[in-house]
Amino acid sequence: MKIRFIILMLAIVGCFTSCYDDKSNDSVKTINPLVIDMGGVPTSMSAFLLDTLEIKPVVYKIGSDDADLSYKWEISGNDIMPFVLDSTMTLKAVVSVAPNSNPYTIILTVTDNRTNLQNYEQFSLSVYSNLGKGLVVADTRDGINTDLNLIMSQNFTENFLQPFNEKDNTILKNVYSTTNGGKLIEGLATGMVTSFYDDNRILTVTTDHSVLQMDPFDYVQGMVDNEIFFIPVPEEQFKPMCLMYDNSAYYELLIMDHVVYARRTRWGNKNYSASLETSDLSPYRATLGCSFIEGSNTRSLYVYDELNGRFLKCPYEYNELQVVRQTGSGPFDINNVGKMNALFMAPGKDDAIYTVFETKDGGKRYLYTFDGGTLYVPTCTALKLYDLTSYPGIMNTVGFDSSPLEDVLYYATDKKVYSLLLEGTNPQAFERYEVEDPDEKITSIMVWRKGWQGKMKFKDSSSGEGYTTDWAMNRMMVITIYNESTKEGKIVAIPIMNIGSGILEKDKDFHQVYEGFGRILCITPQTV
């Protein structure tokens, strides 16, 4: 009886089970997948530093609205800290990572913000450098920090292997901050120089309290301050004053807190040696120096010793500062010119060294010229002494320069550029350029000295085009100007006409203008 009851109950359960309509699958909904469609475009790509990189995938969520999708493009690799390039479906970002032989990895992460479902796509990016010869421009927009820019153009870049048409002129703004994660150089730049030997490329930048090195192919900050010195310099002495480069002996020279340091640029060396002593171990107080940055003419680099009112010479080995012997009497004693403030030192005609002094009371200015001799013999010859005080604008200058082709001293006030013709017994000064906008002021002048790098258009009525081109070396004046109203700086490159007379081309059709900078602090050729 009991067995029959059990059988009956099993039959009833089976009947109900077979008649039940299972609805369990109706409550399970399929999650629509996220699709990243590249349309057949390769995921491996290349770009130049500072190019704008664009990647345009089609991203969607099947059967649903895409409004709840978010995007993250992150780049990593080659020892950089990963960072986000963009947060939209289409990537559009400036390539700011250093050129590298190994590719970077870019990962696109798409997130459905409702379900937290994610999908990924990986890209490979090879970065190359297109930074080369040109003009480095240090500027500031806040009056506190510095950024670096690079002009690559016919004026500053063209050479035998790299012809440049004006349409190819390129101004790369904010190169330093772009390649250093938005970071600026703390302080205002006071000097810059590039050196290149045996693939050892270095751009050195000084401020009033620091020294920085970087590779001018990518501008990524390298060693800083005491990392650059074999023997650490006390913090209170970290006061850079003058930066020079000798292209004959391949040395970079730095005057810091009135002490001279030398760095040999050969064989991969990046460090400054211990401070240089004088050949007779006498104390000195260096304030300014003069180097031959172009050519290999075996001319010596000199520094002015304010403590003793003398010029000290650097020999080929750069292991000391030589106390020189003067040949002949001359108009002044090279070892006792008086304790004055040196305002300017640079090579002039026939490699003579031009030095502009101001008396300690600020009432007089003089030009001393001398032949510095060669790197190998500690002798020199005093040439000329000029009283500059009475020349127009000379007591209110913002800059000086000279040319190896002309016996001319160029100088500028904040409104005008003059050339002082030194030939003969009665030197004369002539106005050569004037800023017409009342809000604009000249901040510096520089004669372009780089050999076989940079060209200028010169007026030529006999030519069918009305002009001819020639190398700009020692034939081009570069003027920096700042507009107090717009807070913008610009550079004007002007041909020097009639060598020997210091005449600047008056026709503005032959003036090349580069605009859109902040206040320009200093400029230098980029030679690598």
Side-chain angles (χ1 to χ4, degrees):
M1 187 72 178
K2 192 172 187 180
I3 293 174
R4 290 179 185 172
F5 177 75
I6 292 172
I7 293 172
L8 179 60
M9 291 300 294
L10 288 172
I12 293 173
V13 170
C15 179
F16 275 101
T17 302
S18 62
C19 294
Y20 174 70
D21 185 10
D22 187 356
K23 304 287 186 180
S24 60
N25 288 333
D26 290 353
S27 63
V28 178
K29 296 185 180 297
T30 301
I31 299 177
N32 292 326
L34 300 178
V35 177
I36 301 176
D37 184 0
M38 291 303 300
V41 176
T43 56
S44 294
M45 56 199 68
S46 62
F48 285 110
L49 177 64
L50 300 178
D51 275 355
T52 298
L53 176 66
E54 290 191 62
I55 306 177
K56 300 178 179 180
V58 175
V59 181
Y60 57 94
K61 188 169 65 170
I62 296 176
S64 182
D65 188 7
D66 298 335
D68 293 318
L69 300 183
S70 61
Y71 311 88
K72 181 175 74 171
W73 297 84
E74 187 175 63
I75 187 169
S76 61
N78 296 322
D79 298 325
I80 67 167
M81 290 291 293
F83 65 93
V84 176
L85 289 169
D86 203 348
S87 57
T88 61
M89 182 172 71
T90 297
L91 169 67
K92 188 174 184 179
V94 173
V95 178
S96 60
V97 292
N100 199 297
S101 57
N102 296 316
Y104 292 87
T105 297
I106 297 176
I107 295 180
L108 167 62
T109 302
V110 182
T111 303
D112 183 339
N113 297 318
R114 285 187 176 181
T115 64
N116 289 324
L117 177 68
Q118 292 184 324
N119 197 3
Y120 307 89
E121 185 67 62
Q122 180 172 309
F123 304 85
S124 176
L125 175 66
S126 298
V127 178
Y128 303 97
S129 176
N130 61 344
L131 308 184
K133 297 178 186 292
L135 181 73
V136 188
V137 181
D139 71 347
T140 181
R141 295 188 182 273
D142 59 10
I144 300 173
N145 303 295
T146 299
D147 211 338
L148 302 181
N149 313 272
L150 178 63
I151 301 174
M152 294 187 293
S153 71
Q154 186 181 55
N155 291 151
F156 308 118
T157 304
E158 180 164 333
N159 55 50
F160 291 121
L161 301 177
Q162 189 175 13
F164 250 83
N165 293 321
E166 286 184 343
K167 63 181 178 63
D168 299 322
N169 289 355
T170 302
I171 302 179
L172 299 174
K173 301 287 183 63
N174 309 320
V175 182
Y176 180 86
S177 60
T178 300
T179 57
N180 287 278
K183 177 184 175 183
L184 296 168
I185 296 173
E186 295 180 1
L188 302 180
T190 56
M192 300 186 294
V193 69
T194 56
S195 62
F196 178 39
Y197 194 90
D198 290 340
D199 295 326
N200 186 32
R201 307 180 302 257
I202 293 181
L203 167 61
T204 303
V205 180
T206 60
T207 72
D208 61 346
H209 65 274
S210 64
V211 183
L212 302 87
Q213 287 183 346
M214 62 200 75
D215 185 339
F217 271 24
D218 58 33
Y219 282 56
V220 174
Q221 180 183 296
M223 297 195 298
V224 179
D225 296 341
N226 267 320
E227 296 172 350
I228 310 174
F229 290 79
F230 282 120
I231 299 176
V233 178
E235 184 176 347
E236 64 273 12
Q237 296 177 17
F238 232 96
K239 302 172 184 178
M241 302 174 66
C242 181
L243 184 64
M244 297 158 283
Y245 181 61
D246 180 349
N247 197 50
S248 293
Y250 301 106
Y251 272 89
E252 184 176 281
L253 212 70
L254 173 67
I255 300 176
M256 190 160 66
D257 197 23
H258 304 287
V259 177
V260 179
Y261 299 85
R263 178 181 74 85
R264 194 169 198 178
T265 61
R266 293 179 173 181
W267 303 308
N269 177 51
K270 297 182 179 181
N271 297 92
Y272 291 109
S273 66
S275 59
L276 302 185
E277 301 287 347
T278 59
S279 56
D280 63 358
L281 300 181
S282 58
Y284 69 93
R285 181 181 171 86
T287 59
L288 199 59
C290 167
S291 61
F292 292 82
I293 63 172
E294 184 58 29
S296 181
N297 53 16
T298 68
R299 289 288 182 169
S300 283
L301 185 151
Y302 277 82
V303 299
Y304 173 64
D305 171 16
E306 185 184 60
L307 178 65
N308 300 288
R310 63 182 176 178
F311 293 98
L312 297 171
K313 180 176 186 174
C314 292
Y316 184 82
E317 298 82 6
Y318 277 80
N319 55 354
E320 63 181 4
L321 297 172
Q322 292 178 336
V323 178
V324 299
R325 300 191 309 270
Q326 182 169 329
T327 59
S329 56
F332 59 90
D333 183 352
I334 203 80
N335 287 304
N336 186 17
V337 299
K339 296 182 181 180
M340 297 182 287
N341 298 321
L343 305 180
F344 164 78
M345 287 183 71
K349 187 177 181 180
D350 299 326
D351 293 329
I353 294 175
Y354 289 11
T355 307
V356 176
F357 287 111
E358 182 178 76
T359 55
K360 289 294 185 180
D361 63 5
K364 301 279 285 183
R365 289 189 174 181
Y366 299 95
L367 171 64
Y368 286 65
T369 70
F370 66 93
D371 184 336
T374 70
L375 286 163
Y376 311 106
V377 182
T379 59
C380 63
T381 304
L383 298 175
K384 296 286 184 65
L385 170 57
Y386 305 88
D387 186 343
L388 303 179
T389 309
S390 62
Y391 290 103
I394 198 71
M395 302 303 292
N396 300 297
T397 54
V398 296
F400 297 90
D401 212 344
S402 54
S403 165
L405 299 183
E406 305 175 281
D407 200 4
V408 174
L409 176 69
Y410 293 96
Y411 64 95
T413 66
D414 62 4
K415 286 296 183 181
K416 297 180 179 181
V417 177
Y418 298 86
S419 61
L420 175 58
L421 309 188
L422 302 173
E423 294 279 6
T425 58
N426 185 29
Q428 297 183 63
F430 298 91
E431 180 184 321
R432 300 306 192 190
Y433 178 84
E434 182 175 11
V435 172
E436 297 175 354
D437 190 327
D439 292 326
E440 291 186 341
K441 292 183 177 181
I442 298 170
T443 55
S444 72
I445 59 173
M446 181 183 76
V447 173
W448 183 255
R449 298 176 183 269
K450 286 308 301 174
W452 317 119
Q453 178 182 325
K455 279 191 170 183
M456 280 294 297
K457 281 185 177 180
F458 295 89
K459 185 185 296 186
D460 183 359
S461 57
S462 65
S463 167
E465 290 109 355
Y467 68 86
T468 185
T469 60
D470 201 354
W471 297 107
M473 179 185 182
N474 302 319
R475 297 285 307 274
M476 181 171 71
M477 174 67 70
V478 184
I479 304 172
T480 65
I481 296 172
Y482 185 61
N483 189 306
E484 299 280 2
S485 177
T486 63
K487 306 301 181 186
E488 288 196 350
K490 68 180 181 182
I491 293 170
V492 183
I494 306 175
I496 298 175
M497 313 298 293
N498 303 324
I499 293 300
S501 63
I503 296 176
L504 304 185
E505 174 60 68
K506 293 182 179 180
D507 189 339
K508 292 187 178 180
D509 287 342
F510 293 88
H511 295 187
Q512 183 68 52
V513 181
Y514 303 88
E515 300 179 294
F517 301 98
R519 180 164 62 88
I520 297 172
L521 302 169
C522 52
I523 57 178
T524 193
Q526 179 154 300
T527 60
V528 296

